[in-house]
Amino acid sequence: MQTQDITAAAIDAVLRNTLAPTLLEVIDESWQHAGHAGANGTGVGTHFRVRIASPLFTGTSRIGQHRLVYDALQAFIDAGLHALAIEVLSTPKP
């Protein structure tokens, strides 16, 4: 994977395949960090926010929930994803 492969759509696809979320929103906030550490000068692909709810989080601590997300996205982190804000949401009741 290369830096240009780090997109909201790619992150979304991996999280959907790995964590089967009931709610998922992936937002590229890289443009807000231009000139900051970890920014790549393009305004995309370095800083993301993930809002996610998954039944796999049930009974798992907040740290465990975040670890599941980080583990799923390790290839992106290795390729240059610099910052990831994770918001774990409650799974909606049917």
Side-chain angles (χ1 to χ4, degrees):
M1 177 177 299
Q2 300 198 7
T3 304
Q4 68 266 21
D5 299 326
I6 304 173
T7 65
I11 290 171
D12 183 285
V14 167
L15 291 174
R16 286 188 190 281
N17 287 332
T18 307
L19 300 178
T22 53
L23 292 169
L24 179 61
E25 183 178 12
V26 180
I27 305 161
D28 187 343
E29 298 180 339
S30 302
W31 64 274
Q32 297 174 341
H33 301 276
H36 297 174
N40 62 11
T42 67
V44 296
T46 58
H47 295 70
F48 288 86
R49 178 171 305 277
V50 170
R51 295 184 178 122
I52 186 168
S54 171
L56 298 177
F57 295 156
T58 303
T60 305
S61 69
R62 180 177 298 235
I63 291 170
Q65 295 166 350
H66 284 224
R67 188 169 291 133
L68 286 169
V69 174
Y70 281 118
D71 288 350
L73 299 179
Q74 188 62 54
F76 294 94
I77 295 165
D78 293 344
L81 172 60
H82 175 73
L84 183 64
I86 302 170
E87 296 177 26
V88 174
L89 308 172
S90 298
T91 301
K93 306 289 186 221

